[in-house]
Amino acid sequence: MQIEHRPGTWLDGVTGSTVSHQALMAQMARKRVVLLGETHDRYDIHRWQLHVIAALHALRKKVVVGFEMFPQRVQPALDRWTEGSLDTEDFLSQSEWKTVWGFPAELYLPIFHYCRQFRVPMKALNCRRALVTEVGKLGWDAIPVSDRDGLTPALTASAAYRQYLFDITGGARSDRTAKEAQDPEFDRFVRGQQTWDRAFACNIAHALEETPDALVVGVIGRGHLEYGHGTPWQLGDLGVDDVAVLLPEDEPSFDLGHRRGVANAVFRLDTKIDST
């Protein structure tokens, strides 16, 4: 069933019905966690994230914004930035932006500046990149607890998540050893992906422990969020409930039959707006 999705409007991700921005933001502001999906190199998506963060902040006294882009080790730089003791150049240097992320900082700076201006705490949600490689290759059991960046082992991926990951990475390609989602040859990739999922979930849970009455907003790649897989799945394992996912969309229609449940709500971007 194809449902028309006009620019500037929200659709409920389960029913396909139109939801007003005001009503949805009021509902989201009562959550414990709201996860905002992204495609990393899209200016328009980061503007959308900023607008949603600002709307939620207007409705909720305490908001914390967590970012996939930063590993835990650079948290002191994020703290100094929101406290106002670093300029932009020093912040990007001390947060190791060019090495830990690499996408143009201009994509994200409006969000960072919003957090700084309103003294909204920023939290690093990621782990060291090498841990992803190590877990993918060796598994969690082979990694000493002291080397896990404070993370606990990920809850095993569901069959549906494995299929989702297999499909979005090209399916049974001719150049791929794994020919189906449950193939053991696909295990390494899944373990790596789940290391990121678990890192984001563990660090969101830590943020909630530090500020129990806050709304934690996560800025995370959409592949870690769609259909309740990835980070939402790991948050549930950690006992963090009342989690919502919001996603931006480009398509003029929403295929309810195939995309039902992709998120709590989806927003149609205006693709005619310049992307810079």
Side-chain angles (χ1 to χ4, degrees), residues 24-267:
L24 182 64
M25 292 300 101
Q27 178 187 358
M28 294 295 106
R30 295 191 292 270
K31 299 287 185 181
R32 295 186 73 198
V33 178
V34 175
L35 305 173
L36 305 180
E38 69 173 57
T39 302
H40 302 314
D41 60 355
R42 293 273 299 268
Y43 282 91
D44 55 346
I45 289 176
H46 298 303
R47 282 197 296 262
W48 167 81
Q49 290 172 325
L50 172 60
H51 298 157
V52 173
I53 291 168
L56 294 173
H57 189 211
L59 296 169
R60 184 76 173 258
K61 182 177 181 180
K62 290 186 180 180
V63 172
V64 174
V65 183
F67 295 90
E68 171 187 355
M69 301 78 225
F70 300 107
Q72 262 291 303
R73 69 174 181 274
V74 305
Q75 183 62 50
L78 274 61
D79 294 340
R80 288 192 287 270
W81 167 257
T82 54
E83 290 164 359
S85 60
L86 294 179
D87 61 22
T88 301
E89 183 178 354
D90 286 339
F91 168 61
L92 295 177
S93 174
Q94 292 185 28
S95 66
E96 305 175 29
W97 181 265
K98 290 184 178 180
T99 55
V100 302
W101 196 239
F103 289 94
E106 290 74 18
L107 289 161
Y108 295 89
L109 279 172
I111 302 176
F112 300 160
H113 280 289
Y114 179 89
C115 291
R116 177 189 177 97
Q117 286 182 326
F118 287 92
R119 296 302 193 258
V120 173
M122 293 171 55
K123 294 296 180 180
L125 298 183
N126 219 324
C127 59
R128 58 185 179 88
R129 184 171 293 273
L131 180 61
V132 177
T133 302
E134 292 163 5
V135 174
K137 182 179 180 180
L138 304 171
W140 280 99
D141 291 344
I143 312 301
V145 173
S146 59
D147 292 340
R148 292 179 181 176
D149 269 11
L151 309 183
T152 52
L155 178 65
T156 302
S158 67
Y161 189 31
R162 288 183 68 101
Q163 188 65 56
Y164 168 84
L165 292 174
F166 192 72
D167 291 343
I168 66 170
T169 55
R173 307 188 311 263
S174 59
D175 62 339
R176 186 179 222 165
T177 304
K179 299 305 179 186
E180 61 180 12
Q182 301 307 317
D183 194 320
E185 293 291 337
F186 194 47
D187 288 355
R188 179 169 179 169
F189 178 86
V190 174
R191 285 196 299 266
Q193 182 80 359
Q194 286 202 286
T195 306
W196 276 312
D197 297 336
R198 190 70 174 193
F200 308 153
C202 284
N203 288 314
I204 288 170
H206 293 158
L208 287 169
E209 290 171 2
E210 292 176 1
T211 315
D213 56 343
L215 166 64
V216 177
V217 179
V219 174
I220 297 171
R222 63 187 301 150
H224 298 282
L225 308 179
E226 292 187 348
Y227 298 101
H229 303 314
T231 297
W233 175 258
Q234 299 300 330
L235 282 168
D237 182 57
L238 293 170
V240 178
D241 55 6
D242 210 11
V243 176
V245 173
L246 302 179
L247 295 177
E249 297 281 305
D250 290 324
E251 298 301 319
S253 63
F254 183 70
D255 188 341
L256 190 61
H258 289 92
R259 292 178 58 73
R260 185 192 300 272
V262 68
N264 292 72
V266 293
F267 181 82

